[in-house]
Amino acid sequence: LCGGDVPFIWSPFRIFSRSDFDGHHALECDGVRRSDGVLALCASDADFVTERLGAAVRPLVVHPPLRESVLKIARARRGETRRRKYLTCVVRVSEEKEPHRFVELCEELARRGVFDSKALSPVFCANASLCQTSAYAQDLKARFQKCAPSGRVIEHFLSPEELGELFSETILNIHPPTHDAFGMTIVESAAFGAPSVVHHAGAVGASELLQTIGVDVEAPTREFADKIEEILLDARTRVVAENAHSKALEWDEASFGHAVFDFLFSHIRNP
């Protein structure tokens, strides 16, 4: 593709230079230079590609849509009423997703007795294969199970149907990383009426697509827990959930496709 005559658009799902500058910067600069345009998942990545990777034209930000299989289930369930009881964290158990923040939050909430009545129950995704190979994942799983024996640990990849079941009963989804190019589980939770808490610095791409609840996830754990308890009791949280729900179902694969094709035809040079 980089031989010269084949035009192409670079659409990175992850900008590796952001976390490993020395290892990837030269390669990604070369990709930007050779491409006819760049698609980014969030404004933060678009800024980085322009300022640090040398893009002559700022990338177009195009947010990924829900998978059609998830969207179909969400639309079929629209209007259903279920008792929401879960405080969820559905991210990969690896350092860059920072799920330790969720476990630390659960430890603090457990100390306060928040889970004692079982009206609120935490759910933690800890992929079994990662837990077999990662000391970080193993430690977090053990700490979560110790602080919240009545909580759920999900160790397998969730199907669209299982996602729907989980998020339909979720009262609040916690997305812990300080930066995430997008965060599809934020949109998936919104599709089933569950709002998400994200870092307030605007470095999570999905928060540009739909309404989320911004907090300082880097705050001391006690302050973070105070904020989560406030959000759980705040009537405005359901308003956020409803707004996010509508937007998640509106931005589908057809809308995404139109945006991408408009970009392709306006940027690829003529043969």
Side-chain angles (χ1 to χ4, degrees):
L1 288 177
C2 295
D5 292 333
V6 179
F8 73 96
I9 296 293
W10 186 40
S11 180
F13 203 79
R14 177 179 175 186
I15 306 293
F16 284 89
S17 299
R18 296 195 69 146
S19 56
D20 182 10
F21 191 82
D22 292 338
H24 292 87
H25 182 249
L27 292 169
E28 292 185 328
C29 282
D30 192 48
V32 170
R33 181 179 62 82
R34 292 174 181 269
S35 70
D36 288 77
V38 180
L39 288 172
L41 298 189
C42 65
S44 178
D45 275 1
D47 291 341
F48 187 90
V49 170
T50 303
E51 297 165 7
R52 306 296 297 277
L53 300 184
V57 177
R58 188 176 188 275
L60 175 70
V61 176
V62 182
H63 303 300
L66 277 173
R67 289 173 287 164
E68 191 64 31
S69 56
V70 175
L71 180 62
K72 183 178 179 179
I73 295 169
R75 283 176 171 166
R77 290 189 173 183
R78 196 168 195 176
E80 283 187 6
T81 301
R82 296 197 184 192
R83 186 174 77 85
R84 295 185 179 272
K85 58 185 178 183
Y86 292 135
L87 182 71
T88 60
C89 179
V90 187
V91 299
R92 187 170 59 255
V93 191
S94 53
E95 285 86 344
E96 74 272 11
K97 294 292 186 180
E98 303 175 76
H100 60 271
R101 299 188 192 283
F102 178 72
V103 173
E104 290 166 358
L105 169 67
C106 290
E107 288 172 333
E108 177 61 26
L109 293 176
R111 278 193 287 269
R112 300 179 184 191
V114 173
F115 304 133
D116 290 354
S117 70
K118 298 184 181 179
L120 181 70
S121 181
V123 176
F124 183 51
C125 284
N127 182 274
S129 61
L130 276 176
C131 287
Q132 290 171 0
T133 58
S134 166
Y136 175 81
Q138 292 168 7
D139 176 65
L140 291 186
K141 178 184 174 183
R143 287 169 57 189
F144 176 80
Q145 290 177 315
K146 182 178 180 180
C147 79
S150 63
R152 287 179 59 189
V153 175
I154 298 175
E155 298 184 277
H156 63 282
F157 186 80
L158 292 167
S159 68
E161 293 78 13
E162 289 172 319
L163 273 177
E165 287 294 326
L166 176 64
F167 285 137
S168 291
E169 297 181 13
T170 293
I171 189 170
L172 195 64
N173 178 52
I174 308 296
H175 195 74
T178 50
H179 168 75
D180 198 342
F182 192 65
M184 180 55 76
T185 54
I186 294 170
V187 185
E188 290 167 338
S189 67
F192 294 96
S196 291
V197 166
V198 304
H199 189 47
H200 67 174
V204 177
S207 63
E208 300 167 8
L209 174 66
L210 48 76
Q211 192 171 359
T212 55
I213 302 169
V215 304
D216 182 5
V217 301
E218 296 181 297
T221 303
R222 287 185 179 181
E223 293 179 19
F224 188 22
D226 288 343
K227 192 63 181 177
I228 295 305
E229 288 200 85
E230 289 176 17
I231 292 167
L232 288 168
L233 296 173
D234 193 334
R236 292 173 295 181
T237 299
R238 291 313 306 162
V239 175
V240 172
E242 291 165 9
N243 291 339
H245 175 66
S246 297
K247 188 63 179 180
L249 300 187
E250 174 187 312
W251 183 246
D252 56 15
E253 290 184 1
S255 303
F256 172 79
H258 287 310
V260 171
F261 278 112
D262 286 346
F263 182 77
L264 293 176
F265 284 114
S266 64
H267 282 71
I268 287 187
R269 59 184 181 272
N270 292 324

PDB file of all heavy atoms in Angstrom, residues 28 34 42 59 64 94 109 135 138 145 149 168 187 196-197 221 232 239 247 252 261:
ATOM      1  N   GLU A  28       4.670   5.534  13.014  1.00  0.00           N
ATOM      2  CA  GLU A  28       3.373   6.193  12.845  1.00  0.00           C
ATOM      3  C   GLU A  28       3.513   7.515  12.094  1.00  0.00           C
ATOM      4  O   GLU A  28       2.618   7.894  11.324  1.00  0.00           O
ATOM      5  CB  GLU A  28       2.690   6.364  14.201  1.00  0.00           C
ATOM      6  CG  GLU A  28       2.276   5.011  14.774  1.00  0.00           C
ATOM      7  CD  GLU A  28       1.487   5.088  16.064  1.00  0.00           C
ATOM      8  OE1 GLU A  28       1.705   6.020  16.864  1.00  0.00           O
ATOM      9  OE2 GLU A  28       0.641   4.192  16.267  1.00  0.00           O
ATOM     10  N   ARG A  34       2.646   8.998   4.458  1.00  0.00           N
ATOM     11  CA  ARG A  34       2.325   8.264   3.241  1.00  0.00           C
ATOM     12  C   ARG A  34       0.828   8.218   2.933  1.00  0.00           C
ATOM     13  O   ARG A  34       0.432   7.978   1.801  1.00  0.00           O
ATOM     14  CB  ARG A  34       2.863   6.838   3.342  1.00  0.00           C
ATOM     15  CG  ARG A  34       4.383   6.734   3.328  1.00  0.00           C
ATOM     16  CD  ARG A  34       4.820   5.292   3.593  1.00  0.00           C
ATOM     17  NE  ARG A  34       6.261   5.161   3.608  1.00  0.00           N
ATOM     18  CZ  ARG A  34       7.016   4.880   2.532  1.00  0.00           C
ATOM     19  NH1 ARG A  34       6.444   4.760   1.358  1.00  0.00           N
ATOM     20  NH2 ARG A  34       8.320   4.753   2.645  1.00  0.00           N
ATOM     21  N   CYS A  42     -11.210  10.014  18.296  1.00  0.00           N
ATOM     22  CA  CYS A  42     -11.561  11.059  19.250  1.00  0.00           C
ATOM     23  C   CYS A  42     -10.750  12.312  18.955  1.00  0.00           C
ATOM     24  O   CYS A  42      -9.723  12.262  18.260  1.00  0.00           O
ATOM     25  CB  CYS A  42     -11.322  10.599  20.693  1.00  0.00           C
ATOM     26  SG  CYS A  42      -9.593  10.282  21.097  1.00  0.00           S
ATOM     27  N   PRO A  59      -6.897  15.231  11.257  1.00  0.00           N
ATOM     28  CA  PRO A  59      -7.754  14.075  10.971  1.00  0.00           C
ATOM     29  C   PRO A  59      -9.224  14.362  11.237  1.00  0.00           C
ATOM     30  O   PRO A  59      -9.568  15.184  12.091  1.00  0.00           O
ATOM     31  CB  PRO A  59      -7.228  13.003  11.934  1.00  0.00           C
ATOM     32  CG  PRO A  59      -5.823  13.405  12.207  1.00  0.00           C
ATOM     33  CD  PRO A  59      -5.832  14.914  12.217  1.00  0.00           C
ATOM     34  N   PRO A  64     -16.958   5.223  16.220  1.00  0.00           N
ATOM     35  CA  PRO A  64     -17.492   3.924  15.805  1.00  0.00           C
ATOM     36  C   PRO A  64     -18.935   3.760  16.281  1.00  0.00           C
ATOM     37  O   PRO A  64     -19.292   4.225  17.361  1.00  0.00           O
ATOM     38  CB  PRO A  64     -16.585   2.909  16.506  1.00  0.00           C
ATOM     39  CG  PRO A  64     -15.416   3.684  17.006  1.00  0.00           C
ATOM     40  CD  PRO A  64     -15.851   5.088  17.184  1.00  0.00           C
ATOM     41  N   SER A  94      -6.191  -4.800  32.119  1.00  0.00           N
ATOM     42  CA  SER A  94      -4.790  -4.522  31.792  1.00  0.00           C
ATOM     43  C   SER A  94      -4.480  -3.095  32.214  1.00  0.00           C
ATOM     44  O   SER A  94      -5.380  -2.257  32.368  1.00  0.00           O
ATOM     45  CB  SER A  94      -4.519  -4.720  30.302  1.00  0.00           C
ATOM     46  OG  SER A  94      -5.416  -3.977  29.512  1.00  0.00           O
ATOM     47  N   LEU A 109     -16.241   1.439  49.022  1.00  0.00           N
ATOM     48  CA  LEU A 109     -17.699   1.333  49.186  1.00  0.00           C
ATOM     49  C   LEU A 109     -18.044   0.166  50.111  1.00  0.00           C
ATOM     50  O   LEU A 109     -18.983   0.258  50.905  1.00  0.00           O
ATOM     51  CB  LEU A 109     -18.374   1.165  47.826  1.00  0.00           C
ATOM     52  CG  LEU A 109     -18.295   2.368  46.876  1.00  0.00           C
ATOM     53  CD1 LEU A 109     -18.915   2.029  45.524  1.00  0.00           C
ATOM     54  CD2 LEU A 109     -18.989   3.598  47.472  1.00  0.00           C
ATOM     55  N   ALA A 135      -0.110 -10.907  36.515  1.00  0.00           N
ATOM     56  CA  ALA A 135      -0.151 -10.735  37.967  1.00  0.00           C
ATOM     57  C   ALA A 135      -1.056  -9.575  38.347  1.00  0.00           C
ATOM     58  O   ALA A 135      -1.731  -9.603  39.383  1.00  0.00           O
ATOM     59  CB  ALA A 135       1.258 -10.520  38.508  1.00  0.00           C
ATOM     60  N   GLN A 138      -4.617 -10.890  38.168  1.00  0.00           N
ATOM     61  CA  GLN A 138      -4.835 -11.831  39.268  1.00  0.00           C
ATOM     62  C   GLN A 138      -5.053 -11.092  40.586  1.00  0.00           C
ATOM     63  O   GLN A 138      -5.949 -11.426  41.369  1.00  0.00           O
ATOM     64  CB  GLN A 138      -3.636 -12.769  39.399  1.00  0.00           C
ATOM     65  CG  GLN A 138      -3.470 -13.749  38.245  1.00  0.00           C
ATOM     66  CD  GLN A 138      -2.127 -14.445  38.262  1.00  0.00           C
ATOM     67  OE1 GLN A 138      -1.348 -14.303  39.212  1.00  0.00           O
ATOM     68  NE2 GLN A 138      -1.821 -15.200  37.211  1.00  0.00           N
ATOM     69  N   GLN A 145     -12.915  -9.924  44.819  1.00  0.00           N
ATOM     70  CA  GLN A 145     -13.685 -10.998  45.448  1.00  0.00           C
ATOM     71  C   GLN A 145     -13.633 -10.909  46.974  1.00  0.00           C
ATOM     72  O   GLN A 145     -14.607 -11.242  47.651  1.00  0.00           O
ATOM     73  CB  GLN A 145     -13.157 -12.351  44.975  1.00  0.00           C
ATOM     74  CG  GLN A 145     -13.475 -12.628  43.511  1.00  0.00           C
ATOM     75  CD  GLN A 145     -12.894 -13.937  43.014  1.00  0.00           C
ATOM     76  OE1 GLN A 145     -11.730 -14.250  43.286  1.00  0.00           O
ATOM     77  NE2 GLN A 145     -13.689 -14.696  42.289  1.00  0.00           N
ATOM     78  N   PRO A 149     -17.813 -10.161  48.285  1.00  0.00           N
ATOM     79  CA  PRO A 149     -18.119 -11.588  48.060  1.00  0.00           C
ATOM     80  C   PRO A 149     -19.431 -11.815  47.316  1.00  0.00           C
ATOM     81  O   PRO A 149     -19.590 -12.828  46.625  1.00  0.00           O
ATOM     82  CB  PRO A 149     -18.186 -12.161  49.478  1.00  0.00           C
ATOM     83  CG  PRO A 149     -17.409 -11.203  50.325  1.00  0.00           C
ATOM     84  CD  PRO A 149     -17.629  -9.854  49.702  1.00  0.00           C
ATOM     85  N   SER A 168     -28.846  -3.895  31.033  1.00  0.00           N
ATOM     86  CA  SER A 168     -30.254  -3.601  31.328  1.00  0.00           C
ATOM     87  C   SER A 168     -30.512  -3.553  32.823  1.00  0.00           C
ATOM     88  O   SER A 168     -31.509  -2.977  33.273  1.00  0.00           O
ATOM     89  CB  SER A 168     -31.165  -4.655  30.689  1.00  0.00           C
ATOM     90  OG  SER A 168     -31.151  -4.543  29.281  1.00  0.00           O
ATOM     91  N   VAL A 187     -20.864   3.153  25.050  1.00  0.00           N
ATOM     92  CA  VAL A 187     -21.995   3.245  24.116  1.00  0.00           C
ATOM     93  C   VAL A 187     -22.912   2.039  24.282  1.00  0.00           C
ATOM     94  O   VAL A 187     -24.144   2.164  24.233  1.00  0.00           O
ATOM     95  CB  VAL A 187     -21.488   3.353  22.660  1.00  0.00           C
ATOM     96  CG1 VAL A 187     -22.655   3.571  21.702  1.00  0.00           C
ATOM     97  CG2 VAL A 187     -20.480   4.487  22.531  1.00  0.00           C
ATOM     98  N   SER A 196     -22.680   6.179  32.059  1.00  0.00           N
ATOM     99  CA  SER A 196     -21.294   5.869  32.412  1.00  0.00           C
ATOM    100  C   SER A 196     -20.604   7.050  33.076  1.00  0.00           C
ATOM    101  O   SER A 196     -20.823   8.208  32.704  1.00  0.00           O
ATOM    102  CB  SER A 196     -20.497   5.475  31.164  1.00  0.00           C
ATOM    103  OG  SER A 196     -20.920   4.232  30.655  1.00  0.00           O
ATOM    104  N   VAL A 197     -19.754   6.723  34.032  1.00  0.00           N
ATOM    105  CA  VAL A 197     -18.847   7.683  34.653  1.00  0.00           C
ATOM    106  C   VAL A 197     -17.508   7.572  33.948  1.00  0.00           C
ATOM    107  O   VAL A 197     -16.971   6.478  33.782  1.00  0.00           O
ATOM    108  CB  VAL A 197     -18.681   7.391  36.157  1.00  0.00           C
ATOM    109  CG1 VAL A 197     -17.500   8.155  36.733  1.00  0.00           C
ATOM    110  CG2 VAL A 197     -19.951   7.745  36.911  1.00  0.00           C
ATOM    111  N   THR A 221      -9.213   7.939  46.612  1.00  0.00           N
ATOM    112  CA  THR A 221     -10.301   6.960  46.536  1.00  0.00           C
ATOM    113  C   THR A 221     -11.522   7.381  47.354  1.00  0.00           C
ATOM    114  O   THR A 221     -12.667   7.189  46.924  1.00  0.00           O
ATOM    115  CB  THR A 221      -9.810   5.582  47.009  1.00  0.00           C
ATOM    116  OG1 THR A 221      -8.680   5.193  46.219  1.00  0.00           O
ATOM    117  CG2 THR A 221     -10.901   4.534  46.840  1.00  0.00           C
ATOM    118  N   LEU A 232     -25.192   8.223  42.357  1.00  0.00           N
ATOM    119  CA  LEU A 232     -26.205   7.171  42.492  1.00  0.00           C
ATOM    120  C   LEU A 232     -27.521   7.717  43.045  1.00  0.00           C
ATOM    121  O   LEU A 232     -28.602   7.198  42.722  1.00  0.00           O
ATOM    122  CB  LEU A 232     -25.679   6.057  43.403  1.00  0.00           C
ATOM    123  CG  LEU A 232     -24.583   5.162  42.814  1.00  0.00           C
ATOM    124  CD1 LEU A 232     -23.960   4.300  43.905  1.00  0.00           C
ATOM    125  CD2 LEU A 232     -25.139   4.288  41.699  1.00  0.00           C
ATOM    126  N   VAL A 239     -31.543  11.315  33.827  1.00  0.00           N
ATOM    127  CA  VAL A 239     -31.674  12.201  32.664  1.00  0.00           C
ATOM    128  C   VAL A 239     -30.492  11.981  31.724  1.00  0.00           C
ATOM    129  O   VAL A 239     -30.651  11.890  30.500  1.00  0.00           O
ATOM    130  CB  VAL A 239     -31.749  13.679  33.101  1.00  0.00           C
ATOM    131  CG1 VAL A 239     -31.773  14.599  31.886  1.00  0.00           C
ATOM    132  CG2 VAL A 239     -32.983  13.905  33.977  1.00  0.00           C
ATOM    133  N   LYS A 247     -28.948   8.793  21.920  1.00  0.00           N
ATOM    134  CA  LYS A 247     -27.827   9.029  21.014  1.00  0.00           C
ATOM    135  C   LYS A 247     -27.167   7.725  20.594  1.00  0.00           C
ATOM    136  O   LYS A 247     -26.777   7.560  19.428  1.00  0.00           O
ATOM    137  CB  LYS A 247     -26.801   9.939  21.687  1.00  0.00           C
ATOM    138  CG  LYS A 247     -25.685  10.386  20.751  1.00  0.00           C
ATOM    139  CD  LYS A 247     -26.220  11.229  19.599  1.00  0.00           C
ATOM    140  CE  LYS A 247     -25.104  11.688  18.680  1.00  0.00           C
ATOM    141  NZ  LYS A 247     -25.601  12.500  17.555  1.00  0.00           N
ATOM    142  N   ASP A 252     -25.803   4.819  14.086  1.00  0.00           N
ATOM    143  CA  ASP A 252     -25.710   3.426  13.666  1.00  0.00           C
ATOM    144  C   ASP A 252     -24.682   3.250  12.557  1.00  0.00           C
ATOM    145  O   ASP A 252     -23.984   4.201  12.168  1.00  0.00           O
ATOM    146  CB  ASP A 252     -27.087   2.918  13.229  1.00  0.00           C
ATOM    147  CG  ASP A 252     -27.712   3.774  12.123  1.00  0.00           C
ATOM    148  OD1 ASP A 252     -26.997   4.587  11.494  1.00  0.00           O
ATOM    149  OD2 ASP A 252     -28.921   3.624  11.878  1.00  0.00           O
ATOM    150  N   PHE A 261     -17.433   7.493   4.023  1.00  0.00           N
ATOM    151  CA  PHE A 261     -17.366   7.598   2.571  1.00  0.00           C
ATOM    152  C   PHE A 261     -17.232   9.046   2.108  1.00  0.00           C
ATOM    153  O   PHE A 261     -16.524   9.335   1.135  1.00  0.00           O
ATOM    154  CB  PHE A 261     -18.588   6.927   1.923  1.00  0.00           C
ATOM    155  CG  PHE A 261     -18.440   5.444   1.794  1.00  0.00           C
ATOM    156  CD1 PHE A 261     -19.228   4.583   2.540  1.00  0.00           C
ATOM    157  CD2 PHE A 261     -17.492   4.891   0.941  1.00  0.00           C
ATOM    158  CE1 PHE A 261     -19.082   3.218   2.442  1.00  0.00           C
ATOM    159  CE2 PHE A 261     -17.336   3.521   0.829  1.00  0.00           C
ATOM    160  CZ  PHE A 261     -18.139   2.671   1.579  1.00  0.00           C
TER     161      PHE A 261
END
